[in-house]
Amino acid sequence: EAQVTQNPRYLITVTGKKLTVTCSQNMNHEYMSWYRQDPGLGLRQIYYSMNVEVTDKGDVPEGYKVSRKEKRNFPLILESPSPNQTSLYFCASSLGGVSDEQYFGPGTRLTVT
Amino acid sequence: LAKTTQPISMDSYEGQEVNITCSHNNIATNDYITWYQQFPSQGPRFIIQGYKTKVTNEVASLFIPADRKSSTLSLPRVSLSDTAVYYCLVGDILGNDMRFGAGTRLTVKP
């Protein structure tokens, strides 16, 4: 089954404790992206990757890191999480880019206390 | 920047046609317009995409006027299961200046 998986689905952590949210897709997609979703703000792009070893900043990259060492994986790293990073996070992938149909993961709800 | 603006919410009744409009005054030449549907506790799901004029698939139609400064998602004969949040997205293939709208919460009543 074609899908995007994210782990963990729920995470509660404390300020400053490094964490990684994993994302994996099995569709051989070139493009992968991370979004955060906050009430009233919709979806905002954090980082995206057009291909392996190619990443670029989205609208709200501050406080986040990503890597794309393999085509299928695109982890999101929070080196020192803060309460303002409490949000719902989605990973997505597509064949060619934002203008292609994006497949979204189920989401990761992160709470930073 | 192609800022996108959508109504916050809309109500409808089963069997009616629903039209949701997204405004994107600063759309660029290379930008496409894509609509997504999102149910609670799920990721968004692709509905339809277009560049200009009209696009139709098995679930919706997308109308884009010649100036491309707006687009209208049309859902024919909605049912209760169409209750969801609908997002428009404007962006080019590289993701330059891509923008999701804030979403329109559609509530379909019996």
Side-chain angles (χ1 to χ4, degrees):
Chain A
E1 180 190 356
Q3 61 181 352
V4 177
T5 56
Q6 296 178 227
N7 281 293
R9 294 288 313 279
Y10 303 90
L11 179 60
I12 301 174
T13 190
V14 296
T15 300
K17 186 177 181 181
K18 181 179 179 180
L19 66 92
T20 298
V21 184
T22 64
C23 172
S24 182
Q25 51 95 3
N26 62 1
M27 295 167 279
N28 201 36
H29 284 169
E30 301 283 341
Y31 181 90
M32 296 187 75
S33 181
W34 275 103
Y35 299 89
R36 61 177 289 173
Q37 186 173 40
D38 302 289
L41 297 177
L43 289 143
R44 294 180 292 168
Q45 191 177 50
I46 303 171
Y47 269 94
Y48 64 95
S49 170
M50 293 297 292
N51 211 329
V52 176
E53 302 292 1
V54 180
T55 63
D56 212 341
K57 297 178 181 179
D59 289 333
V60 288
E62 293 77 22
Y64 304 95
K65 286 176 58 177
V66 293
S67 68
R68 187 89 182 273
K69 299 188 186 308
E70 306 166 280
K71 198 172 188 178
R72 63 183 293 124
N73 296 323
F74 191 45
L76 179 69
I77 303 157
L78 284 72
E79 296 264 357
S80 183
S82 62
N84 64 13
Q85 293 179 298
T86 292
S87 186
L88 179 58
Y89 292 86
F90 289 101
C91 179
S93 73
S94 71
L95 198 57
V98 153
S99 60
D100 275 351
E101 175 180 353
Q102 292 187 73
Y103 293 79
F104 284 79
T108 296
R109 185 167 294 281
L110 172 65
T111 302
V112 184
T113 60
Chain B
L1 297 180
K3 180 179 178 180
T4 54
T5 304
Q6 308 174 229
I8 293 174
S9 63
M10 295 181 69
D11 289 342
S12 183
Y13 290 93
E14 282 191 293
Q16 289 188 332
E17 178 184 73
V18 171
N19 295 310
I20 306 174
T21 296
C22 181
S23 172
H24 29 79
N25 289 323
N26 296 322
I27 190 168
T29 303
N30 296 328
D31 286 344
Y32 286 77
I33 300 156
T34 312
W35 284 81
Y36 288 84
Q37 175 191 56
Q38 186 179 27
F39 297 112
S41 302
Q42 295 184 22
R45 185 177 67 175
F46 175 90
I47 302 175
I48 197 166
Q49 182 186 76
Y51 182 79
K52 62 180 179 180
T53 64
K54 176 183 175 182
V55 180
T56 297
N57 62 21
E58 62 275 10
V59 297
S61 294
L62 179 60
F63 299 92
I64 305 170
D67 65 7
R68 304 201 327 124
K69 293 185 176 183
S70 67
S71 59
T72 299
L73 173 71
S74 181
L75 304 172
R77 297 180 298 281
V78 294
S79 64
L80 297 177
S81 63
D82 292 316
T83 292
V85 179
Y86 293 82
Y87 291 94
C88 72
L89 167 65
V90 175
D92 66 21
I93 191 168
L94 296 177
N96 294 316
D97 298 328
M98 59 84 68
R99 287 290 183 272
F100 269 100
T104 298
R105 183 174 300 279
L106 172 66
T107 303
V108 180
K109 302 175 182 178

